Amino acid sequence: MEDQELVMFWLAGDHKLAIRKGLTSIILANELRKKGYKDKLIEDFLMILHVT
């Protein structure tokens, strides 16, 4: 599955599916930066990823 697709699942709220399909913190951070998300928001998403 493409990195962009994994992040779309994440942003749609299906965190567990995205993780099962291979989403990592590096993929999430890189793809969110490409979309223009600010570092603070990316940090918040990464905290959620590690809790999930």
Side-chain angles (χ1 to χ4, degrees):
M1 183 169 279
E2 296 286 328
D3 293 350
Q4 187 175 7
E5 290 175 299
L6 295 172
V7 173
M8 293 302 283
F9 281 119
W10 177 267
L11 292 174
D14 203 342
H15 302 152
K16 291 181 192 258
L17 177 62
I19 293 167
R20 278 198 317 267
K21 295 287 187 179
L23 183 68
T24 65
S25 56
I26 293 170
I27 292 170
L28 182 60
N30 288 340
E31 290 297 317
L32 291 176
R33 279 192 188 95
K34 287 180 192 175
K35 292 181 177 297
Y37 283 75
K38 302 298 180 198
D39 287 339
K40 177 60 179 138
L41 185 55
I42 293 171
E43 288 175 23
D44 291 345
F45 280 144
L46 291 175
M47 291 298 295
I48 294 168
L49 178 67
H50 291 290
V51 171
T52 305

